[in-house]
Amino acid sequence: MAGVVLSQNDGYVDFDALKKAQVDFVYLKATQGAAFSDDSFNSNYSRSQGAQLPVGVYHVFSFSSTANSQYHNIINQVKTNTGSLPIALYIDYYGTYSDDNVDWQATSQKIIKLAKQLTHYYQRPLLFGDLNQC
C-alpha cells in the first residue's frame, strides 16, 4: 500500500491525480501543538472527499504544550472532519529537543492523556508512528 502525507507546505494537491497514480490513502496535517492549524487542512479535506481516497488526519505532538491545550486545538480545527482512517499522532524530535533533554516519563503521561481524550471524543482508534514511512 502506498500513502501520502500532506500539509500546507505541499501547495495545491490534485486528489483525483493521486487516485489515478494508485495512491491508496492520504493523511492530512490538521494541527501542531497548542495553537498551530494547517492553513490547507479544510480545503484539502473538502477536495479529498471527491476523489474517494481513504483519508486520515494527523496532529504533530508538542513537547512543550499541555495535553489539554493540544486536545482543544485538534477538536477546534478538525471538528468532525476526521476521515475514515485512524487519527494519527506524530511524535518526533524538533527544534532543540532530543534524547538528552526530553523527560520521557512526563512526556509519555501527556501522550497517554491526549490519546485518551481523543479516543473518547472521537470514538475511534489512534495511530502512533512515523508518517514519513507512508
Side-chain angles (χ1 to χ4, degrees):
M1 291 189 86
V4 176
V5 177
L6 300 171
S7 73
Q8 67 188 27
N9 297 334
D10 296 302
Y12 180 85
V13 177
D14 183 339
F15 290 92
D16 289 321
L18 290 177
K19 177 89 171 172
K20 289 176 185 168
Q22 299 185 352
V23 168
D24 296 307
F25 63 92
V26 177
Y27 265 91
L28 304 174
K29 182 177 185 178
T31 51
Q32 181 171 332
F36 178 82
S37 297
D38 191 282
D39 291 338
S40 297
F41 174 73
N42 288 321
S43 63
N44 277 341
Y45 187 85
S46 293
R47 287 184 295 102
S48 72
Q49 299 306 286
Q52 298 179 335
L53 277 169
V55 174
V57 300
Y58 74 96
H59 169 77
V60 178
F61 181 82
S62 169
F63 295 105
S64 60
S65 300
T66 66
N68 284 340
S69 62
Q70 292 185 68
Y71 166 74
H72 288 290
N73 186 29
I74 296 164
I75 65 170
N76 289 336
Q77 171 69 6
V78 172
K79 297 177 179 54
T80 60
N81 296 330
T82 58
S84 59
L85 300 174
I87 296 170
L89 289 180
Y90 180 70
I91 305 165
D92 197 11
Y93 296 122
Y94 59 89
T96 59
Y97 289 103
S98 69
D99 273 336
D100 297 330
N101 58 12
V102 170
D103 177 355
W104 277 106
Q105 185 173 3
T107 298
S108 64
Q109 293 305 307
K110 275 201 295 191
I111 294 167
I112 291 167
K113 182 175 182 178
L114 179 58
K116 285 181 179 179
Q117 289 173 310
L118 290 172
T119 52
H120 180 262
Y121 184 82
Y122 286 113
Q123 295 294 302
R124 61 185 313 135
L126 294 181
L127 172 70
F128 299 88
D130 186 353
L131 294 173
N132 293 315
Q133 298 300 316
C134 290

